[in-house]
Amino acid sequence: MSYAGFCLLNVEGQRSTATVTATFVDDMPQVKTMTAKDLADHLAAESPDSEVEVITLAAGEAAVRLAPEVRRLPGEITDSGRPETLTLGKISVFFPVPDHGEIGLFELSTPCLDDWNLYSELFFNIVNTIEVTGRQTDTPAGEHSSVDGPMALPQSPPPLPDPDPAVAQALFWYSSRLMDAAALRGQVHGGQQVESITCETCWAKGLRSACSARHGWSIGSVMSGDLMHALPRAVAAFASRGWQTETESAGNRARVRAGDEAPEQSAGYAFSASVDGEAGTFTAEVTAPCSRAAAAADSLFG
């Protein structure tokens, strides 16, 4: 067992509890080659009465099993003094980590079935922060940093994967809308590259895997007379569509993000733009929504 936690909540005046555990399994057959689909097939055959599906998390695919668990409580611990049965709602998420030769098993169980929607959404947000880092380098025998354990060898962080093509296409679309709103003539630089990033919120939580993407570009050789009107023009165009705007640096820089009044499909998108009158450049960076913040729609999670 790598982690076990218990929570005691007050939900609308009623006591509610749940338990979360995390462990890593390395003794299953073919553990090094099993995919989430393989795991789902195995779980469905093993538990035909449970609900099983494959979901996509920020770090990859995982198999999910939802199944009630009935426990018999001895009379010594019940209020009535008689043996009783207790039904628990249980979510099990199996995340294959082939490079490590392990399967991560994350489970939440609760006897408070009236609060199932609360816990299922909460647990999805938890497992959606899973990160897979590089393998630990084996430490030569006898090398220790202290009596507490082996010396930790420095590792380079794993490179971030390329963004999903659909994410890149959406960023290109919003960049195009921004270019149209700025209405500038000049030379466009860096317009073909989209890179994966960790959003500010996740970075502040200590997460380092990719959860978003950005598209940076600039327009150079712009006449100063046109440049001074470009940023207010772009900000006004997006503000009229319900986007929230913030201007700084004496009006030479702006941050814009899709607010509650913006079209639903724009939720989570944002951009920053700045102008440099001396250099004659308009620089922009468009970012995609955080994938870890996505709801588990059309999933067993609800």
Side-chain angles (χ1 to χ4, degrees):
M1 187 67 64
S2 299
Y3 174 85
F6 175 79
C7 72
L8 180 62
L9 306 180
N10 184 315
V11 181
E12 298 181 354
Q14 299 294 321
R15 178 176 294 180
S16 185
T17 64
T19 300
V20 173
T21 60
T23 189
F24 290 89
V25 181
D26 59 8
D27 58 353
M28 290 181 64
Q30 301 177 330
V31 68
K32 293 185 178 181
T33 58
M34 293 188 77
T35 65
K37 179 64 167 57
D38 296 332
L39 285 166
D41 292 342
H42 176 80
L43 294 169
E46 182 183 67
S47 309
D49 295 332
S50 62
E51 297 182 74
V52 178
E53 71 169 345
V54 175
I55 64 168
T56 302
L57 303 175
E61 290 188 335
V64 179
R65 178 177 63 192
L66 273 70
E69 182 176 295
V70 179
R71 294 183 181 177
R72 187 168 179 81
L73 306 179
E76 292 83 359
I77 64 172
T78 65
D79 291 337
S80 66
R82 297 186 300 272
E84 296 181 8
T85 58
L86 177 68
T87 301
L88 300 174
K90 192 171 187 178
I91 307 174
S92 302
V93 178
F94 296 79
F95 188 87
V97 194
D99 291 342
H100 292 246
E102 295 176 324
I103 294 173
L105 171 56
F106 305 85
E107 292 187 314
L108 179 143
S109 61
T110 177
C112 305
L113 301 184
D114 288 343
D115 302 323
W116 180 255
N117 290 340
L118 166 68
Y119 286 121
S120 60
E121 181 179 355
L122 171 66
F123 199 54
F124 174 80
N125 290 330
I126 291 173
V127 296
N128 207 27
T129 64
I130 293 172
E131 293 191 315
V132 180
T133 60
R135 293 198 64 165
Q136 291 282 345
T137 305
D138 293 335
T139 302
E143 292 191 15
H144 295 80
S145 60
S146 71
V147 295
D148 297 325
M151 176 178 63
L153 299 181
Q155 298 185 64
S156 300
L160 296 179
D162 292 333
D164 183 275
V167 173
Q169 191 64 33
L171 285 174
F172 287 142
W173 189 87
Y174 282 102
S175 286
S176 179
R177 302 289 79 74
L178 178 56
M179 287 184 182
D180 291 344
L184 289 173
R185 294 182 179 180
Q187 298 178 350
V188 179
H189 303 279
Q192 300 303 314
Q193 186 64 37
V194 174
E195 60 179 337
S196 296
I197 61 170
T198 305
C199 75
E200 293 181 3
T201 301
C202 289
W203 187 274
K205 295 177 180 178
L207 302 173
R208 296 295 180 264
S209 62
C211 64
S212 180
R214 68 184 170 200
H215 181 215
W217 48 271
S218 64
I219 302 176
S221 303
V222 180
M223 297 293 293
S224 60
D226 292 336
L227 193 61
M228 63 181 295
H229 299 295
L231 194 55
R233 190 161 50 223
V235 168
F238 279 84
S240 67
R241 302 170 193 161
W243 289 54
Q244 297 178 355
T245 65
E246 178 184 352
T247 304
E248 52 191 46
S249 299
N252 292 324
R253 181 177 177 83
R255 296 178 182 271
V256 181
R257 64 182 182 86
D260 294 337
E261 298 180 1
E264 184 177 353
Q265 64 269 25
S266 300
Y269 284 92
F271 72 81
S272 61
S274 62
V275 296
D276 186 334
E278 294 184 1
T281 58
F282 179 97
T283 304
E285 185 177 274
V286 183
T287 57
C290 172
S291 61
R292 275 187 274 261
D298 301 324
S299 166
L300 294 176
F301 278 108

